[in-house]
């Protein structure tokens, strides 16, 4: 009993630390990455290679007054940033970092991640609505329709995966992908479940970008159109928490992509030992890709974004689902 | 579209009676730099300093027409029909003559022909009909001229200050304006 | 309740775009009446940076006004120097030496490229792409360094004098310019790969923001906006001035009337400006850069004078009225973006907010020039 309790506490602290550190240092990665894409140097003053910059930023944000403008709904205004950050941190509970490195090994882990991930959009909505700002309200309307549109293809691809692997336990799903990179779902399922799996992977990645409101789908922020979208009225740590939540969501998205398609902590070659290092490497490659995309592409139009989901992604993922079902039935 | 044709059309509108106006113009010489044939009636106008064909190299425009305020809209319509576009509208405060001159600059996309339409109005109560219904772009130019000179463009939809503060009740380009 | 019973005014709201907004690039304010994300009515509100340059002109000598012309369109200030210098020279009848004319054309075209580069970066930034801005600034910096070496300024130039230019260009400038052109030529394909051929950009610009020729005529739009609507009008060709007739260059015209056409016009104009600069450097004659007989104090004959040049954003016109004294009696600045912006309200009706902002981006607004 006590060991279980200690284990839980240790994981709790570990997860929060992991999420917070990632959120903080992804800002550094983003700034440094952006700088190099743009032939600049990026942060370099605070600490070696600007490594202490996130701490300085955090200190600055925390020392700022938490400004609550007139006319806002104070409760919603304050609760919204937490509603973005906390569910993202909660989602880490079921992510298997290593073979025995997961806070809880839940049978319905995948379902739980999706359930928590959907709360994030409510936080954005409440924050936008509560801040009584027209730009924020426009952003809220965009975020809601965008998230509804993109949740569907995301879930459809995930369901196809669950059907093929016959499990919703994330750790089990990773275990099934052992024995070299050709056993990863991305490649294995192409030959055993549905030839559309690589496309499903791309759809999942695209929807992950959209769900986390990343460029080129950053409708929630859209800084050249809606000033700062949902965050227009936020300052100080209110903004900081939103920011952290956003990065925590990216980490969750990347981790989930790794677990579902890229074999999680499994090593790419059979003679190399399985380790958490593989998981982190895969995850950070995906995160780096996300950063790369952000600093390369202009923003899409909002209606093009919705069209993409309803007219392209959803039909394809439905076809993928049917093909998978048919394949499993026939073979 | 020849210069002669547009000249002909505008000649009908150029001032014929108020000779006074023509005297007060800082008279540029009516140089005949153009080669195109001029109809007889136009020539008469030119002699009266109503419709100039100034020397382009010196002045920078080809046709200089003085009209009465009532004829501004009609000349603008003629120019629009001849596919001219409006470059700008501005005023000049001739305080000694107690008049304000409104200057309309037109230009053409395909023919090298700049036309200047001028009209004069009383300085105490400056009023000119608007051409914003003919040239939509005139809307802002007229508002600007109203800001700077206090000229009322009758029929203009909204003469609220454009460049000056919204509560401005002064007209800075009048020569007797003191900041 | 059926939809038509509902009071329409209750369904719309007013959105204040600016004066502090990332997409207006300055202190422009647009009062938008919105129905959801659709624009029902737009009303630009100007004057936040109005400085009354025209009144300043009436209170200074002819030469003293020259620095003011560098502060209208601070991104392509040399064109405005050029316009004013030419107008005064026309009034006074000053002949400019040929070498000075060549130097004027070369520097003005360099300035035009710098302006278009900045527009390119800022426009893609409007569309949410951040990186091209930094690339464009990198190139623009080279131009500013070159111009600084001869004019002494980087943005608010006051380089031209009545009768020439005040400083001759040297070999460093010539070799530097040639190197820069080589560099920009090699980078243009990169810009096209990274931005022009990007599927998202094409989707955002193609067929979006139509501005018809008829509308251009009614509003007096000029410059790349007009040429994007298929009208071959460029003051440099239409009303040749300086030594532009000596150069072999084309006027890029696109007939699609959409945002993409205006984008392409500017991209192609950079190439044409490079051609002009190269020819200018090849043909550059020897000789003085100031007219020997240029008077120190101008007293043009009574009368009014008009002069237009093709600035980076369209036709910049200047009307001078002289009463024979050493100060202008009246000085009217016809700024191209003032006319170009005036069509925005009509053009953006019924558009979505992001598309309208893309359209506004293609108008290439510089607010100090609109407000003067």
């Amino acid at each position: 009993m006590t060991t279980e309790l200690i284990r839980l506490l240790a994981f709790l602290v570990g997860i929060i630390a992991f999420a917070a550190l990632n959120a903080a240092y992804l800002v550094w990665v983003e700034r440094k990455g952006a700088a190099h894409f743009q032939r600049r140097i990026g942060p370099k003053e605070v600490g070696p290679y600007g490594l202490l910059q996130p701490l300085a930023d955090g200190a600055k944000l925390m020392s700022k007054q938490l400004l609550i403008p007139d006319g806002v709904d104070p409760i919603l205004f304050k609760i919204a940033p937490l509603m973005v950050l906390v569910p993202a941190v909660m989602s880490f509970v079921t992510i298997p970092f290593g073979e025995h490195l997961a806070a809880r090994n839940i049978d319905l882990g995948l379902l739980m991640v999706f359930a928590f991930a959907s709360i994030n959009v409510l936080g954005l909505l409440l924050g936008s609505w509560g801040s009584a700002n027209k730009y924020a309200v426009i952003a809220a309307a965009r975020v809601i329709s965008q998230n509804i549109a993109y949740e569907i293809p995301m879930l459809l691809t995930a369901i196809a995966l669950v059907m093929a692997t016959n499990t919703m336990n994330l750790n089990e799903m990773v275990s099934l992908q052992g024995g070299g990179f050709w056993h990863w779902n991305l490649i294995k399922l192409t030959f055993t479940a549905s030839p559309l799996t690589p496309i499903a992977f791309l759809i999942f990645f695209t929807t992950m970008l959209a769900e986390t409101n990343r460029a080129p789908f950053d409708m929630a922020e859209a800084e050249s159109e809606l000033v700062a979208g949902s965050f227009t009225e936020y300052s100080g740590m209110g903004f900081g928490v939103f920011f952290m939540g956003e990065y925590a969501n990216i980490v969750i998205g990347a981790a989930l992509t790794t677990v579902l398609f890229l074999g999680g902590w499994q090593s790419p070659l059979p003679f190399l030992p399985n380790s958490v290092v593989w998981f982190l490497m895969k995850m950070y490659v995906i995160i780096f890709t996300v950063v790369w995309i952000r600093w390369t592409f202009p923003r899409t139009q909002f209606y093009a974004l919705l069209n993409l989901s309803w007219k392209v992604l959803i039909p394809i993922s439905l076809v993928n689902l049917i093909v998978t079902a048919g394949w499993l039935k026939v073979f | 579209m020849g210069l002669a044709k547009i000249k002909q059309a505008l000649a009908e509108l150029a001032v014929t009676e108020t000779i006074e106006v023509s005297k007060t113009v800082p008279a540029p010489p009516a140089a005949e730099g153009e080669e195109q044939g001029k109809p007889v009636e136009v020539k008469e106008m030119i002699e009266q300093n109503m419709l100039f064909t100034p020397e382009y190299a010196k002045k920078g425009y080809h046709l200089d027409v003085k009209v009465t305020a009532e004829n501004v809209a009609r000349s603008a319509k003629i120019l629009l029909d001849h596919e001219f576009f409006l470059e700008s509208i501005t005023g000049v405060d001739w305080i000694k003559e107690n008049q304000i001159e409104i200057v309309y600059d037109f230009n053409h996309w395909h023919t090298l022909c700049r036309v200047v339409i001028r009209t004069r109005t009383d300085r105490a109560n400056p009023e000119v009909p608007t051409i914003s219904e003919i040239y939509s772009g005139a809307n802002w130019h007229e508002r600007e001229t109203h800001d700077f000179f206090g000229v009322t463009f009758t029929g203009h939809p909204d003469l609220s200050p454009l460049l000056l503060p919204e509560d401005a009740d002064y007209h800075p380009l009048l020569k007797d304006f003191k900041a | 309740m059926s939809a038509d019973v509902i009071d329409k005014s209750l369904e719309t709201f007013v959105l204040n775009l600016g004066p502090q907004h990332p997409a207006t690039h300055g202190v422009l304010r647009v009062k938008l009446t919105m129905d959801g994300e659709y624009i029902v009515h737009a009303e630009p509100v100007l004057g936040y940076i109005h400085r009354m340059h025209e009144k300043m002109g009436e209170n200074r000598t002819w030469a003293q006004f020259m620095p003011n012309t560098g502060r209208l369109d601070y991104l392509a200030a040399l064109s405005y120097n050029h316009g004013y210098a030419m107008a005064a020279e026309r009034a006074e009848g000053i002949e400019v030496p040929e070498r000075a004319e060549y130097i004027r054309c070369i520097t003005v075209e360099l300035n035009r490229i710098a302006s278009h580069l900045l527009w390119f970066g800022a426009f893609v930034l409007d569309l949410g792409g951040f990186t091209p801005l930094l690339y464009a600034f990198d190139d623009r910096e080279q131009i500013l360094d070159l111009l600084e070496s001869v004019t002494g300024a980087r943005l608010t130039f006051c380089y031209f004098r009545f009768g020439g230019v005040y400083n001759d260009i040297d070999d460093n400038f010539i070799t530097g310019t040639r190197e820069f052109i080589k560099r920009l030529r090699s980078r243009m394909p990169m810009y096209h790969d990274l931005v022009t051929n990007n599927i998202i950009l094409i989707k955002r610009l193609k067929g979006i923001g139509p501005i018809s020729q008829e509308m251009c005529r009614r509003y007096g739009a000029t410059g790349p906006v007009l040429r994007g609507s298929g009208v071959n009008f460029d003051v440099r060709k239409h009303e040749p001035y300086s030594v532009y007739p000596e150069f072999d260059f084309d006027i890029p015209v696109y007939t699609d009337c959409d945002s993409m056409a205006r984008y392409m016009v500017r991209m192609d104009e950079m190439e044409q400006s490079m051609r002009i600069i190269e020819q200018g450097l090849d043909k550059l004659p020897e000789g003085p850069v100031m007219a020997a007989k240029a008077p120190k104090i101008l007293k043009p004959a009574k009368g009014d004078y008009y002069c237009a040049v093709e600035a980076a954003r369209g036709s910049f016109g200047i009307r001078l009225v002289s009463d024979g004294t050493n100060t202008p009696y009246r000085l009217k600045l016809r700024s191209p973006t003032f006319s170009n912006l005036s069509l925005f309200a009509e053009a953006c009706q019924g558009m979505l907010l992001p598309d309208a902002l893309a359209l506004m981006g293609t108008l290439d607004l510089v607010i100090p020039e609109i407000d003067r």
Side-chain angles (χ1 to χ4, degrees), chain A residues 9-25 89 92 244:
Chain A
L9 274 175
F11 269 106
L12 189 68
V13 172
I15 281 167
I16 291 177
F18 181 77
L21 264 179
N22 260 298
Y25 272 87
V89 175
F92 280 107
M244 279 172 70

Side-chain angles (χ1 to χ4, degrees), chain B residues 87 90 93 118 136 144, chain C residues 218 304 306 329-330 372:
Chain B
E87 279 224 331
T90 188
D93 180 19
R118 304 160 188 276
S136 320
E144 184 196 305
Chain C
R218 277 191 292 114
D304 57 353
Y306 195 86
Y329 187 77
R330 171 87 178 92
R372 285 162 285 149

Side-chain angles (χ1 to χ4, degrees), chain A residues 17-28 54 85 243-245 247-248 251:
Chain A
F18 181 77
L21 264 179
N22 260 298
Y25 272 87
L26 280 184
V27 178
W28 180 85
L85 180 62
F243 217 62
M244 279 172 70
Y247 282 101
V251 178

Side-chain angles (χ1 to χ4, degrees), chain A residues 202-259:
Chain A
L202 288 179
I203 291 177
F204 193 85
F205 183 72
T206 314
T207 52
M208 192 267 282
L209 280 180
E211 283 282 295
T212 51
N213 294 317
R214 285 292 294 193
F217 307 116
D218 55 341
M219 294 301 147
E221 199 169 345
E223 80 277 349
S224 58
E225 297 160 16
L226 302 180
V227 189
S230 303
F231 319 134
T232 308
E233 295 289 350
Y234 280 93
S235 60
M237 215 45 213
F239 178 75
V241 171
F242 259 131
F243 217 62
M244 279 172 70
E246 202 171 292
Y247 282 101
N249 271 315
I250 294 165
V251 178
I252 286 292
L256 205 58
T257 315
T258 310
V259 167

Side-chain angles (χ1 to χ4, degrees), chain C residues 226-258:
Chain C
L226 181 60
R227 291 194 282 277
S229 297
V231 178
N232 190 343
F233 176 83
D234 186 315
V235 183
R236 288 175 293 174
K237 284 268 189 205
H238 183 76
E239 202 177 338
Y241 57 92
S242 196
V243 283
Y244 280 110
E246 310 284 315
F247 299 127
D248 172 32
F249 66 102
D250 302 320
I251 304 298
V253 176
Y254 284 79
T255 51
D256 296 343
C257 302
D258 56 2

Side-chain angles (χ1 to χ4, degrees), chain C residues 15 27 30 55 65 67 75 137-138 149 232 268 273 286 313 349:
Chain C
L15 187 71
V27 282
V30 187
K55 188 72 179 178
F65 187 71
L75 297 179
F137 262 67
D138 192 0
S149 72
N232 190 343
D268 288 4
S273 291
E286 292 297 325
R313 285 157 189 80
Q349 262 178 29

